[in-house]
Amino acid sequence: WLPNAQGAALRSYVQAGGRVLSLGIGSLLRGVTVQSGPQGTQAVNPGAPATSDVFGARAGALTQTTAETLVIRDDLGLFNGTSGAFAGFGSYVPIAPPASSQVSSAGVTSSAPSILGYRLGRGIVVEVGLPGFGTQIARSLDVQELTRRIWTILSH
């Protein structure tokens, strides 16, 4: 859930040169109204999930798999230092980017990336649609290196 005004502000931040990492399935798809009252600030009137997130990326359905997630394209250098293969994920959510000239992606198939980095205006968005990505950091050298690269790219 994201307050509607903050969703627009986050998109503007990225378009002006900001950088954002979105982890989690279904992130940034639902709006909510924030209202102050006698019992404090509350989120009210939650919206249904949108077809695209605040950046314009569209997430597909959670899909089970036994295949590795492989690098498809790397215009942003997101996967530098990794083997290009990410094992140990039993499911994924494919993510379609908004129209973009520079994209880095990895997925089970070339048409279904589940790790996606793209330019939006002057900024960069990285989205990860792999359940359990955070727990794999402790086990997978490739996920560790990808996480380092994400932080390096987003911190500049």
Side-chain angles (χ1 to χ4, degrees), residues 1-153:
W1 304 99
L2 187 64
N4 298 322
Q6 273 63 40
L10 186 58
R11 182 177 175 88
S12 293
Y13 164 77
V14 172
Q15 288 175 321
R19 295 163 184 237
V20 171
L21 169 63
S22 177
L23 289 173
I25 307 308
S27 295
L28 305 175
L29 291 174
R30 297 172 186 252
V32 67
T33 301
V34 176
Q35 143 184 351
S36 296
Q39 298 188 358
T41 303
Q42 296 179 323
V44 296
N45 302 324
T51 56
S52 61
D53 65 21
V54 298
F55 308 114
R58 294 176 320 282
L62 182 67
T63 303
Q64 302 301 312
T65 187
T66 57
E68 288 185 323
T69 298
L70 302 173
V71 172
I72 300 165
R73 181 176 167 181
D74 198 13
D75 294 349
L76 300 174
L78 189 62
F79 302 105
N80 290 353
T82 72
S83 72
F86 303 92
F89 297 99
S91 60
Y92 68 94
V93 170
I95 306 166
S100 178
S101 59
Q102 286 191 306
V103 174
S104 290
S105 59
V108 171
T109 69
S110 62
S111 63
S114 52
I115 303 172
L116 186 64
Y118 55 92
R119 289 206 174 274
L120 183 65
R122 295 191 327 246
I124 295 175
V125 177
V126 176
E127 301 198 37
V128 178
L130 293 171
F133 182 82
T135 58
Q136 284 290 348
I137 292 173
R139 295 182 219 137
S140 168
L141 293 176
D142 282 310
V143 172
Q144 290 170 15
E145 190 55 38
L146 175 59
T147 303
R148 277 190 208 93
R149 279 298 296 158
I150 290 170
W151 289 126
T152 298
I153 288 171

